[in-house]
Amino acid sequence: MSTAWTSRYAQRTKHVKSSAIRELLKITQRPEVISFAGGLPASEVFPNDRFREACSKVLEREPNRALQYGASEGYEPLREMIARHIARYGIKARVENVLITSGSQQALDLIGKLLINAGDRVLVEAPTYLGALQAFNVYGAEYISVKSDDDGLRTDRLEPSLRSGPKFMYVLPNFQNPGGTTLSEGRRHELVLLAEKYGIPVIEDDPYGQLRFEGEHLPPLVVLDRENLRGDDGYSIGNVIYLSTFSKTLAPGLRLGWIVAPPDVIAKLVQLKQGADLHTSTFAQAIGYEVARDGFLDEHVKLIRRVYRERRDVMLEALEQNFPPEVTWTRPQGGLFLWVSLPEGMDAQRLFETALKENVAFVPGDSFYAPNGNAEEARRHLRLNFSAAKPDQIREGIRRLGIAVKRQWDELHPLPVGRP
Ligand SMILES: Cc1ncc(COP(=O)(O)O)c(C=O)c1O
């Protein structure tokens, strides 16, 4: 007799759906499809030679350490390097503030495990990173969504939501996924002050901060919180936990991310991580360290910025040429994504189906809204990734997408009979 597995699944699995993006990526892997769907970095800029050298060096110099079990907190030289690296953005951290994770995605899961009881509400942006919703859903999170606009989260709408007592806020201040928008400096100050006033902790997720192509770098929330509100002891206190990753600056296949938090929070997260995977791959950490060290990461990021800036410009120009004026989009100053808003009456999910017939793909916007987010509004958006496709493919893909957009627009606005 076979076991009825499904009847034995734990209660928490009921909240879990497979990621819309992962499902879409399966369809969009057909070679004839130009995909703006995934959040993939450009594979042409992966530093393959540096990785090859790093593998040889690690295996020659310290194979026993790199291939052995390691500390749950992470590989010490890498933690030290991250602490030094983030200091230039004003983030004060010692080694004991840094926990290495298997990508930022694991950091989000550990944060969920640490903070969320079933039914707790998490304050998120609308739209927000779908992977965070997936991670938090498992723990039975409910959501309070606060709108964002071209300057990021609407801090003028924050207070009533904070008053209703969310467990924490999850915010993406730089080149947001999916919006491509950046939280303005004024709003950063406001957000940190309001979080302090209502005693609500903040999770700052920053995978893209280093990928700024233009404009001034803005201070991270963790810096504004610790230095402006709590004096100079940035090591042991703070209302903001900061997350980042090497996925967009070196390679996502490494699966290396990190959490910066007060040491007592790190200690608790370490216990949770032990139950999850003991530690992040020692080998990956040793390689990541060897690749990034001696200033390589900084040099490499300059190349990525150049390549992505060009691709963003090509996409913006192609959108201008191929989309009707009623359609609008964000103009990101960095990162990997831009966010298209369709006029009322249009529907991104239907557009996706037409677009696939034209062999072009994107992610419909509704995936990025928490369950109680504005469903009506969610249907009128799409996320476009501009990092993965080459400029010629971007031009061709946006031309095809323009055809699909115009078709839906014309269906909604047929020319009156008798007019040419
Ligand atoms: C906002 C955000 N957070 C976290 C992640 C997860 O990144 P990682 O590859 O480090 O797990 C992503 C990946 O796209 C992301 O966009």
Side-chain angles (χ1 to χ4, degrees):
M1 200 175 77
S2 74
T3 317
W5 286 109
T6 48
S7 66
R8 287 162 192 268
Y9 290 165
Q11 199 63 29
R12 73 181 78 86
T13 64
K14 302 214 166 26
H15 309 288
V16 181
K17 289 189 297 188
S18 76
S19 149
I21 295 193
R22 298 228 151 264
E23 294 304 306
L24 289 180
L25 281 175
K26 285 184 203 154
I27 311 174
T28 60
Q29 269 160 6
R30 299 197 314 249
E32 64 277 18
V33 173
I34 296 177
S35 177
F36 303 127
L40 308 188
S43 48
E44 310 87 83
V45 299
F46 291 157
N48 298 345
D49 291 341
R50 180 89 179 174
F51 268 97
R52 201 171 302 118
E53 281 164 28
C55 286
S56 304
K57 278 188 194 157
V58 164
L59 289 175
E60 273 161 28
R61 282 192 205 146
E62 49 169 12
N64 296 347
R65 188 173 180 191
L67 298 175
Q68 190 53 278
Y69 284 116
S72 303
E73 289 82 351
Y75 180 69
E76 188 98 353
L78 182 66
R79 294 169 77 206
E80 281 166 6
M81 186 172 75
I82 288 169
R84 280 196 307 276
H85 181 74
I86 58 181
R88 84 184 57 172
Y89 297 110
I91 303 175
K92 290 191 173 183
R94 291 191 180 131
V95 170
E96 60 266 29
N97 295 110
V98 180
L99 168 64
I100 306 293
T101 55
S102 303
S104 283
Q105 193 60 38
Q106 185 184 47
L108 293 169
D109 179 59
L110 294 177
I111 296 286
K113 224 179 223 175
L114 179 76
L115 298 177
I116 302 172
N117 290 318
D120 280 349
R121 280 162 311 155
V122 180
L123 192 153
V124 294
E125 297 163 81
T128 190
Y129 171 51
L130 128 118
L133 298 175
Q134 263 200 307
F136 300 157
N137 283 347
V138 179
Y139 300 103
E142 292 181 9
Y143 298 95
I144 305 171
S145 297
V146 178
K147 270 191 152 204
S148 50
D149 62 16
D150 284 353
D151 284 330
L153 183 75
R154 293 272 307 263
T155 42
D156 59 327
R157 302 239 180 134
L158 206 47
E159 223 162 339
S161 302
L162 289 174
R163 228 177 267 134
S164 71
K167 195 75 176 274
F168 63 90
M169 262 194 264
Y170 169 70
V171 191
L172 303 110
N174 293 318
F175 326 122
Q176 205 243 24
N177 180 3
T181 51
T182 293
L183 189 64
S184 69
E185 188 159 1
R187 288 189 186 180
R188 288 176 192 231
H189 285 279
E190 233 178 308
L191 188 148
V192 164
L193 285 172
L194 286 169
E196 167 76 6
K197 178 173 167 189
Y198 290 95
I200 308 296
V202 180
I203 307 300
E204 176 175 25
D205 190 5
D206 187 26
Y208 307 109
Q210 275 193 276
L211 302 182
R212 178 177 274 283
F213 327 136
E214 63 193 30
E216 288 291 306
H217 172 76
L218 298 177
L221 302 174
V222 67
V223 170
L224 297 179
D225 172 73
R226 290 194 188 169
E227 290 179 6
N228 296 0
L229 295 176
R230 283 161 230 285
D232 216 24
D233 184 5
Y235 299 115
S236 56
I237 48 173
N239 198 33
V240 181
I241 292 178
Y242 177 87
L243 319 178
S244 193
T245 175
F246 285 132
S247 284
K248 315 296 166 163
T249 53
L250 286 181
L254 264 185
R255 308 308 302 130
L256 287 183
W258 60 90
I259 302 178
V260 180
D264 51 338
V265 179
I266 294 286
K268 199 72 202 166
L269 286 166
V270 164
Q271 292 171 357
L272 299 174
K273 184 168 164 67
Q274 283 168 353
D277 63 357
L278 297 182
H279 60 77
T280 295
S281 155
T282 333
F283 190 60
Q285 293 185 76
I287 301 293
Y289 170 71
E290 198 58 45
V291 169
R293 67 185 292 182
D294 301 331
F296 177 83
L297 182 63
D298 293 333
E299 282 310 305
H300 185 60
V301 161
K302 288 183 196 160
L303 166 71
I304 300 177
R305 289 192 198 121
R306 250 196 334 273
V307 171
Y308 289 7
R309 181 190 186 119
E310 185 200 357
R311 293 181 184 194
R312 177 208 56 179
D313 289 344
V314 167
M315 187 172 274
L316 288 175
E317 196 185 320
L319 286 167
E320 213 63 72
Q321 288 165 352
N322 291 282
F323 277 29
E326 291 78 7
V327 179
T328 58
W329 48 87
T330 55
R331 289 164 193 281
Q333 294 187 314
L336 274 66
F337 305 105
L338 59 80
W339 184 241
V340 176
S341 303
L342 302 170
E344 223 160 292
M346 286 187 77
D347 183 300
Q349 199 69 48
R350 275 203 297 126
L351 183 67
F352 178 72
E353 285 152 30
T354 334
L356 267 194
K357 289 187 193 132
E358 298 291 335
N359 286 325
V360 61
F362 58 83
V363 185
D366 49 3
S367 314
F368 303 99
Y369 287 77
N372 64 352
N374 187 337
E376 197 52 48
E377 188 198 300
R379 277 203 287 275
R380 290 200 288 110
H381 296 281
L382 39 141
R383 188 190 75 175
L384 298 180
N385 164 273
F386 54 78
S387 59
K390 298 198 172 116
D392 282 350
Q393 290 175 305
I394 295 179
R395 285 189 198 94
E396 174 58 18
I398 297 295
R399 188 191 68 77
R400 293 180 193 173
L401 191 53
I403 294 172
V405 168
K406 279 188 204 132
R407 195 166 296 152
Q408 198 179 108
W409 176 253
D410 290 345
E411 278 167 24
L412 283 171
H413 302 90
L415 283 176
V417 180
R419 289 250 321 259

